[in-house]
Amino acid sequence: QSALTQPASVSGSPGQSITISCAGTSSDVGGYDYVSWYQHHPGKVPKLMIYDVSKRPSGVSNRFSGSKSGNTASLTISGLQAEDEADYYCNSYTSSTTLVFGGGTKLTVL
Amino acid sequence: QVQLQESGPGLVKPSQTLSLTCAVSGASISSGAYYWSWIRQHPGKGLEWIGYIHYSGNTYYNPSLKSRVAISVDTSKNQFSLKVSSVTAADTAVYYCANSAVVAPDIWGQGTMVTVSS
């Protein structure tokens, strides 16, 4: 299985909104509503931010939202804050009953 | 509150088998509500899903690792394990265990660094 495709980096200024894309195929992202997003600060444990495309776990800020169109999922962070600077990974269930991660996106808050 | 803790050797010799254990607290590994996953991150690289197991014994593996990986459950100790055979330097990574109440791994252990070197 191939890794999902994410941009290597995105950036934004405090208060702005950014969107990170996650491109897959009809066998993963496009075929199931089981896309999730993780925030990973280096040296820390990855944190689940979005699951099932657009659901937020308890305790996750509503500044984080997820969506999907066709074979591409997106994570949007609104009201960007310095603490949002981290690596972000998408993940999807696949038709092979496996999971696959994206390559990761480094978010820089300017 | 589910908590997970990885344990195992931090150094493994090439061609040997890497063995890690994940101790589970706050939930029964026999609960049919969860899948139990292993995920790794190579130094400076992204996350790689290794595989997961249901307490019933059903296992699912990353196709690129399937021939060398085995995940098992020990219900008596409330833990699950990972074995990776014939390791090379390419298996050097931080290994995480995680559980999934939904499809996505949601509770993660702290991670353990494993280096493959002679």
Side-chain angles (χ1 to χ4, degrees), chain B residues 16-54:
Chain B
Q16 293 191 340
T17 295
L18 177 162
S19 296
L20 296 174
T21 296
C22 181
V24 179
S25 60
S28 170
I29 205 162
S30 300
S31 169
Y34 300 117
Y35 279 80
W36 306 95
S37 296
W38 286 98
I39 297 151
R40 69 182 182 180
Q41 184 175 33
H42 298 102
K45 303 293 185 182
L47 298 172
E48 179 180 35
W49 180 77
I50 298 172
Y52 54 28
I53 188 168
H54 187 257

Short mmCIF file of all heavy atoms in Angstrom, two decimals, chain B residues 16-54:
data_model
loop_
_atom_site.label_atom_id
_atom_site.label_comp_id
_atom_site.label_asym_id
_atom_site.label_seq_id
_atom_site.Cartn_x
_atom_site.Cartn_y
_atom_site.Cartn_z
N GLN B 16 18.57 -10.56 13.91
CA GLN B 16 17.85 -11.13 15.04
C GLN B 16 16.38 -10.68 15.03
O GLN B 16 15.93 -9.99 14.13
CB GLN B 16 18.53 -10.72 16.35
CG GLN B 16 19.91 -11.35 16.52
CD GLN B 16 20.46 -11.15 17.92
OE1 GLN B 16 20.05 -10.27 18.67
NE2 GLN B 16 21.45 -11.98 18.28
N THR B 17 15.64 -11.12 16.05
CA THR B 17 14.22 -10.78 16.15
C THR B 17 14.00 -9.71 17.21
O THR B 17 14.46 -9.84 18.35
CB THR B 17 13.38 -12.02 16.49
OG1 THR B 17 13.46 -12.95 15.41
CG2 THR B 17 11.92 -11.66 16.74
N LEU B 18 13.33 -8.67 16.82
CA LEU B 18 12.95 -7.58 17.72
C LEU B 18 11.66 -7.99 18.43
O LEU B 18 10.69 -8.40 17.77
CB LEU B 18 12.74 -6.32 16.89
CG LEU B 18 12.28 -4.99 17.50
CD1 LEU B 18 12.58 -3.85 16.52
CD2 LEU B 18 10.81 -4.99 17.85
N SER B 19 11.65 -7.89 19.75
CA SER B 19 10.45 -8.26 20.52
C SER B 19 10.08 -7.15 21.48
O SER B 19 10.90 -6.74 22.31
CB SER B 19 10.71 -9.56 21.31
OG SER B 19 10.93 -10.65 20.44
N LEU B 20 8.86 -6.67 21.39
CA LEU B 20 8.36 -5.63 22.28
C LEU B 20 7.02 -6.05 22.88
O LEU B 20 6.26 -6.80 22.27
CB LEU B 20 8.16 -4.32 21.51
CG LEU B 20 9.40 -3.67 20.92
CD1 LEU B 20 9.01 -2.46 20.07
CD2 LEU B 20 10.37 -3.25 22.00
N THR B 21 6.77 -5.54 24.07
CA THR B 21 5.51 -5.82 24.76
C THR B 21 4.84 -4.51 25.12
O THR B 21 5.50 -3.53 25.44
CB THR B 21 5.78 -6.65 26.03
OG1 THR B 21 6.33 -7.91 25.65
CG2 THR B 21 4.49 -6.87 26.80
N CYS B 22 3.52 -4.52 25.10
CA CYS B 22 2.74 -3.35 25.48
C CYS B 22 1.80 -3.75 26.62
O CYS B 22 0.89 -4.57 26.41
CB CYS B 22 1.95 -2.83 24.29
SG CYS B 22 0.97 -1.35 24.66
N ALA B 23 2.06 -3.20 27.80
CA ALA B 23 1.21 -3.48 28.96
C ALA B 23 0.02 -2.53 28.96
O ALA B 23 0.19 -1.31 28.80
CB ALA B 23 2.01 -3.32 30.24
N VAL B 24 -1.15 -3.09 29.15
CA VAL B 24 -2.39 -2.31 29.10
C VAL B 24 -2.98 -2.18 30.50
O VAL B 24 -3.10 -3.17 31.23
CB VAL B 24 -3.42 -2.99 28.18
CG1 VAL B 24 -4.72 -2.20 28.15
CG2 VAL B 24 -2.85 -3.15 26.77
N SER B 25 -3.34 -0.96 30.88
CA SER B 25 -4.06 -0.73 32.13
C SER B 25 -5.28 0.14 31.85
O SER B 25 -5.29 0.90 30.90
CB SER B 25 -3.15 -0.07 33.17
OG SER B 25 -2.67 1.17 32.70
N GLY B 26 -6.29 -0.03 32.67
CA GLY B 26 -7.49 0.77 32.51
C GLY B 26 -8.50 0.19 31.53
O GLY B 26 -9.55 0.78 31.30
N ALA B 27 -8.16 -0.94 30.95
CA ALA B 27 -9.08 -1.62 30.03
C ALA B 27 -8.66 -3.08 29.92
O ALA B 27 -7.49 -3.41 30.12
CB ALA B 27 -9.06 -0.98 28.65
N SER B 28 -9.62 -3.93 29.61
CA SER B 28 -9.30 -5.33 29.42
C SER B 28 -8.97 -5.58 27.96
O SER B 28 -9.74 -5.21 27.07
CB SER B 28 -10.48 -6.20 29.82
OG SER B 28 -10.27 -7.54 29.43
N ILE B 29 -7.85 -6.23 27.75
CA ILE B 29 -7.45 -6.52 26.38
C ILE B 29 -8.41 -7.51 25.73
O ILE B 29 -8.44 -7.65 24.51
CB ILE B 29 -5.99 -7.03 26.33
CG1 ILE B 29 -5.37 -6.74 24.97
CG2 ILE B 29 -5.92 -8.50 26.70
CD1 ILE B 29 -3.88 -6.79 24.95
N SER B 30 -9.20 -8.17 26.57
CA SER B 30 -10.19 -9.13 26.06
C SER B 30 -11.48 -8.46 25.62
O SER B 30 -12.38 -9.12 25.11
CB SER B 30 -10.52 -10.17 27.14
OG SER B 30 -9.37 -10.88 27.52
N SER B 31 -11.56 -7.15 25.83
CA SER B 31 -12.75 -6.43 25.42
C SER B 31 -12.86 -6.44 23.91
O SER B 31 -11.92 -6.09 23.21
CB SER B 31 -12.72 -4.99 25.91
OG SER B 31 -13.74 -4.24 25.31
N GLY B 32 -13.99 -6.84 23.43
CA GLY B 32 -14.18 -6.84 21.98
C GLY B 32 -14.31 -5.46 21.39
O GLY B 32 -14.40 -5.31 20.17
N ALA B 33 -14.26 -4.45 22.25
CA ALA B 33 -14.47 -3.08 21.77
C ALA B 33 -13.22 -2.47 21.17
O ALA B 33 -13.29 -1.40 20.57
CB ALA B 33 -14.95 -2.20 22.92
N TYR B 34 -12.07 -3.13 21.33
CA TYR B 34 -10.82 -2.49 20.92
C TYR B 34 -10.02 -3.31 19.92
O TYR B 34 -10.09 -4.53 19.88
CB TYR B 34 -9.92 -2.28 22.14
CG TYR B 34 -10.50 -1.41 23.22
CD1 TYR B 34 -10.75 -1.94 24.48
CD2 TYR B 34 -10.80 -0.07 23.00
CE1 TYR B 34 -11.28 -1.16 25.50
CE2 TYR B 34 -11.32 0.72 24.00
CZ TYR B 34 -11.56 0.17 25.25
OH TYR B 34 -12.09 0.95 26.25
N TYR B 35 -9.22 -2.57 19.13
CA TYR B 35 -8.13 -3.16 18.36
C TYR B 35 -6.84 -2.62 18.96
O TYR B 35 -6.79 -1.49 19.45
CB TYR B 35 -8.24 -2.78 16.88
CG TYR B 35 -9.23 -3.64 16.13
CD1 TYR B 35 -10.59 -3.39 16.20
CD2 TYR B 35 -8.79 -4.72 15.35
CE1 TYR B 35 -11.50 -4.19 15.52
CE2 TYR B 35 -9.69 -5.51 14.66
CZ TYR B 35 -11.04 -5.25 14.76
OH TYR B 35 -11.93 -6.04 14.09
N TRP B 36 -5.79 -3.41 18.93
CA TRP B 36 -4.52 -3.07 19.56
C TRP B 36 -3.44 -3.00 18.48
O TRP B 36 -3.18 -3.98 17.80
CB TRP B 36 -4.19 -4.12 20.62
CG TRP B 36 -5.31 -4.29 21.60
CD1 TRP B 36 -6.30 -5.21 21.57
CD2 TRP B 36 -5.57 -3.45 22.75
NE1 TRP B 36 -7.19 -5.03 22.62
CE2 TRP B 36 -6.75 -3.95 23.36
CE3 TRP B 36 -4.94 -2.35 23.32
CZ2 TRP B 36 -7.30 -3.38 24.50
CZ3 TRP B 36 -5.48 -1.78 24.46
CH2 TRP B 36 -6.64 -2.30 25.04
N SER B 37 -2.83 -1.81 18.36
CA SER B 37 -1.96 -1.52 17.22
C SER B 37 -0.50 -1.34 17.60
O SER B 37 -0.17 -1.00 18.74
CB SER B 37 -2.40 -0.20 16.55
OG SER B 37 -3.68 -0.28 16.00
N TRP B 38 0.36 -1.53 16.61
CA TRP B 38 1.76 -1.13 16.69
C TRP B 38 2.04 -0.18 15.53
O TRP B 38 1.61 -0.43 14.38
CB TRP B 38 2.70 -2.33 16.62
CG TRP B 38 2.72 -3.15 17.87
CD1 TRP B 38 2.04 -4.30 18.12
CD2 TRP B 38 3.48 -2.87 19.05
NE1 TRP B 38 2.30 -4.75 19.39
CE2 TRP B 38 3.19 -3.89 19.99
CE3 TRP B 38 4.38 -1.86 19.43
CZ2 TRP B 38 3.77 -3.93 21.26
CZ3 TRP B 38 4.95 -1.90 20.70
CH2 TRP B 38 4.65 -2.92 21.59
N ILE B 39 2.75 0.87 15.83
CA ILE B 39 3.09 1.92 14.87
C ILE B 39 4.54 2.30 15.13
O ILE B 39 4.99 2.24 16.28
CB ILE B 39 2.17 3.14 15.07
CG1 ILE B 39 0.71 2.75 14.79
CG2 ILE B 39 2.59 4.32 14.20
CD1 ILE B 39 -0.30 3.55 15.58
N ARG B 40 5.30 2.68 14.10
CA ARG B 40 6.67 3.09 14.32
C ARG B 40 6.99 4.36 13.57
O ARG B 40 6.28 4.73 12.62
CB ARG B 40 7.64 1.97 13.95
CG ARG B 40 7.75 1.66 12.47
CD ARG B 40 8.70 0.49 12.24
NE ARG B 40 8.87 0.20 10.82
CZ ARG B 40 9.66 -0.78 10.35
NH1 ARG B 40 10.33 -1.57 11.20
NH2 ARG B 40 9.75 -0.97 9.05
N GLN B 41 8.06 5.01 14.01
CA GLN B 41 8.54 6.21 13.35
C GLN B 41 10.06 6.12 13.23
O GLN B 41 10.77 6.16 14.24
CB GLN B 41 8.15 7.47 14.11
CG GLN B 41 8.56 8.76 13.39
CD GLN B 41 8.06 10.01 14.08
OE1 GLN B 41 7.94 10.06 15.29
NE2 GLN B 41 7.76 11.03 13.27
N HIS B 42 10.53 6.03 12.00
CA HIS B 42 11.97 6.04 11.75
C HIS B 42 12.52 7.42 12.08
O HIS B 42 11.82 8.42 11.94
CB HIS B 42 12.26 5.68 10.30
CG HIS B 42 11.81 4.31 9.92
ND1 HIS B 42 10.65 4.08 9.20
CD2 HIS B 42 12.35 3.09 10.16
CE1 HIS B 42 10.50 2.78 9.00
NE2 HIS B 42 11.52 2.16 9.58
N PRO B 43 13.78 7.49 12.49
CA PRO B 43 14.37 8.79 12.84
C PRO B 43 14.21 9.83 11.74
O PRO B 43 14.60 9.60 10.59
CB PRO B 43 15.84 8.45 13.07
CG PRO B 43 15.83 7.02 13.50
CD PRO B 43 14.72 6.39 12.71
N GLY B 44 13.59 10.95 12.08
CA GLY B 44 13.41 12.02 11.11
C GLY B 44 12.39 11.75 10.03
O GLY B 44 12.26 12.54 9.08
N LYS B 45 11.63 10.65 10.16
CA LYS B 45 10.65 10.29 9.14
C LYS B 45 9.24 10.31 9.71
O LYS B 45 9.01 10.68 10.85
CB LYS B 45 10.98 8.90 8.58
CG LYS B 45 12.38 8.76 8.02
CD LYS B 45 12.55 9.61 6.77
CE LYS B 45 13.91 9.37 6.14
NZ LYS B 45 14.12 10.23 4.94
N GLY B 46 8.29 9.88 8.88
CA GLY B 46 6.90 9.89 9.28
C GLY B 46 6.47 8.62 10.00
O GLY B 46 7.26 7.72 10.24
N LEU B 47 5.19 8.57 10.33
CA LEU B 47 4.63 7.43 11.03
C LEU B 47 4.34 6.29 10.05
O LEU B 47 3.92 6.52 8.92
CB LEU B 47 3.32 7.83 11.72
CG LEU B 47 3.45 8.91 12.80
CD1 LEU B 47 2.05 9.34 13.26
CD2 LEU B 47 4.27 8.42 13.97
N GLU B 48 4.58 5.08 10.51
CA GLU B 48 4.31 3.88 9.69
C GLU B 48 3.47 2.91 10.51
O GLU B 48 3.88 2.48 11.59
CB GLU B 48 5.60 3.22 9.25
CG GLU B 48 5.38 1.96 8.41
CD GLU B 48 6.68 1.30 7.98
OE1 GLU B 48 7.65 1.32 8.74
OE2 GLU B 48 6.71 0.73 6.87
N TRP B 49 2.32 2.56 10.00
CA TRP B 49 1.45 1.58 10.67
C TRP B 49 2.01 0.19 10.44
O TRP B 49 2.31 -0.19 9.30
CB TRP B 49 0.04 1.68 10.12
CG TRP B 49 -0.93 0.75 10.72
CD1 TRP B 49 -1.54 0.84 11.95
CD2 TRP B 49 -1.43 -0.46 10.13
NE1 TRP B 49 -2.39 -0.22 12.15
CE2 TRP B 49 -2.33 -1.04 11.05
CE3 TRP B 49 -1.21 -1.11 8.92
CZ2 TRP B 49 -3.00 -2.23 10.80
CZ3 TRP B 49 -1.88 -2.29 8.66
CH2 TRP B 49 -2.78 -2.84 9.59
N ILE B 50 2.19 -0.57 11.52
CA ILE B 50 2.77 -1.91 11.43
C ILE B 50 1.67 -2.97 11.35
O ILE B 50 1.70 -3.87 10.52
CB ILE B 50 3.67 -2.21 12.64
CG1 ILE B 50 4.85 -1.23 12.67
CG2 ILE B 50 4.16 -3.66 12.59
CD1 ILE B 50 5.68 -1.33 13.94
N GLY B 51 0.67 -2.84 12.23
CA GLY B 51 -0.41 -3.82 12.23
C GLY B 51 -1.25 -3.70 13.49
O GLY B 51 -0.92 -2.92 14.38
N TYR B 52 -2.35 -4.48 13.51
CA TYR B 52 -3.14 -4.51 14.74
C TYR B 52 -3.78 -5.88 14.93
O TYR B 52 -3.81 -6.71 14.02
CB TYR B 52 -4.16 -3.37 14.84
CG TYR B 52 -5.16 -3.16 13.74
CD1 TYR B 52 -5.62 -4.16 12.89
CD2 TYR B 52 -5.68 -1.87 13.55
CE1 TYR B 52 -6.56 -3.91 11.90
CE2 TYR B 52 -6.61 -1.60 12.57
CZ TYR B 52 -7.06 -2.63 11.75
OH TYR B 52 -7.99 -2.37 10.76
N ILE B 53 -4.26 -6.08 16.17
CA ILE B 53 -4.84 -7.35 16.54
C ILE B 53 -6.11 -7.10 17.35
O ILE B 53 -6.22 -6.13 18.09
CB ILE B 53 -3.84 -8.20 17.37
CG1 ILE B 53 -4.38 -9.62 17.60
CG2 ILE B 53 -3.48 -7.52 18.69
CD1 ILE B 53 -3.33 -10.60 18.14
N HIS B 54 -7.07 -7.98 17.16
CA HIS B 54 -8.27 -8.01 17.99
C HIS B 54 -8.06 -9.15 18.98
O HIS B 54 -7.38 -10.12 18.67
CB HIS B 54 -9.50 -8.23 17.11
CG HIS B 54 -10.79 -8.12 17.83
ND1 HIS B 54 -11.54 -9.23 18.20
CD2 HIS B 54 -11.49 -7.03 18.27
CE1 HIS B 54 -12.64 -8.83 18.82
NE2 HIS B 54 -12.64 -7.50 18.88
#
